[in-house]
Amino acid sequence: NASLLGILQHPDGTVLKQLQPPPRGPREQEFYNKVYDSDCCDRILLELREYLPKYFGVWSPPTAPNDIYLKLEDVTRKFNKPCIMDVKIGQKSYDPYASAEKIQQQVSKYPLMEEIGFLVLGMRVYHVSSDSYETQNQHYGRSLTKETVKDGISKFFHSGYCLRKDVIAASIQKVEKILEWFEGQTQLNFYASSLLFVYEGSCQATTVRLSDVTLAEKRRVPKGLLSGGDVLEYNNNIHVINSTENGKIEASVGKGLSKFYALHKKSCSKRHHSQLSLKVEDSEQDNVWKSSTCITQEHLNGNVLPQLEKVFYHMPAEPKESAKVEVRMIDFAHVFPSNTKDEGYIYGLKNLITVLQNILDN
């Protein structure tokens, strides 16, 4: 994913983005310094921090002290199989000081920018079915027309099995928050700036519904009641192997547990289709199930439920990482002081929200 963004991943959980030549690089550095100034008390800038990667100043390699890198939070770090999309926002991808040549060059790259207000610069999507990534570069984005842009973007939310409507809905909410910020500020205008979308591509389920019994919501375990020995370790593998009566595994990925579950959409032909097989593989938890347990409808109200509850409820009630979708603003080499609303950026955000909503509705 680093190559998609043209930045280096640092082992400490940050990314290093090399400063561009002047005036762009220094302008981006100045922008981050202003927003993240420890003395900053401007409500607008303080709120803006929520929508940016965290900024940790600049860094230079000891061997090349003149090479300056911005040290930024790696937004993809907490994801197992991050799916990433970079969308340039605004009606103009050139700033007010651009030369005639620069304007001509930018407009010819994507004439629809003025009309659509955004451009897909690249995407990397994890396909569960093939356990591989599909990558599209900016030629893909520039090939999209008004007619095909909806399908072009929907590709980002497709896992190879299904359209991730949960991710689209969460993305819309996040973009709407950024739109609200833009509607309320008149001090900065952004050109050739992007939104970075990231979501978890590996199929991890928080809630597995067995015949409409949603186990994870059935009972909450109060914190502090469990002894350490009862808590499942992070390396547990719970494989949901079979399918429910309607032929689908019903699972929603949301708060909690996401690290614990690997969801495999396979059907066991030898077993009856109303059964669900759960296999717990963990040396410390051998006492839960010695082997794969087949759960039929009649078992659900019998002895298996307490066993399942052992697995599902002895999890941290509120995991630290609950975000399954990130939407962050990036690329600030063309941010300028202003005294008006950034209408071009607002136009792009509204159009992007409309497209996302259309993908969700249809």
Side-chain angles (χ1 to χ4, degrees), residues 240-252:
V240 179
I241 300 168
N242 223 336
S243 52
T244 56
E245 223 158 352
N246 61 3
K248 288 199 191 84
I249 291 176
E250 292 191 60
S252 64

Side-chain angles (χ1 to χ4, degrees), residues 221-328:
V221 174
K223 275 189 227 169
L225 290 185
L226 300 171
S227 63
D230 283 337
V231 178
L232 283 185
E233 296 297 325
Y234 273 76
N235 60 359
N236 285 352
N237 251 336
I238 300 175
H239 296 295
V240 179
I241 300 168
N242 223 336
S243 52
T244 56
E245 223 158 352
N246 61 3
K248 288 199 191 84
I249 291 176
E250 292 191 60
S252 64
V253 182
K255 277 194 180 158
L257 314 192
S258 62
K259 287 192 174 126
F260 302 92
Y261 298 95
L263 185 71
H264 294 282
K265 199 156 182 177
K266 294 175 186 163
S267 52
C268 299
S269 52
K270 289 180 187 166
R271 296 198 176 108
H272 188 262
H273 65 238
S274 70
Q275 297 176 337
L276 188 67
S277 161
L278 274 132
K279 188 177 180 187
V280 176
E281 297 163 352
D282 185 51
S283 52
E284 290 177 30
Q285 291 287 326
D286 267 2
N287 58 330
V288 181
W289 284 300
K290 288 278 181 243
S291 63
S292 168
T293 309
C294 245
I295 302 161
T296 56
Q297 302 296 334
E298 53 269 32
H299 275 131
L300 277 170
N301 301 320
N303 296 332
V304 179
L305 209 50
Q307 296 282 61
L308 274 176
E309 287 179 343
K310 237 182 192 173
V311 178
F312 279 87
Y313 304 132
H314 295 193
M315 300 291 184
E318 289 166 341
K320 290 186 181 67
E321 301 291 9
S322 60
K324 57 176 177 172
V325 179
E326 286 284 359
V327 179
R328 304 287 185 96

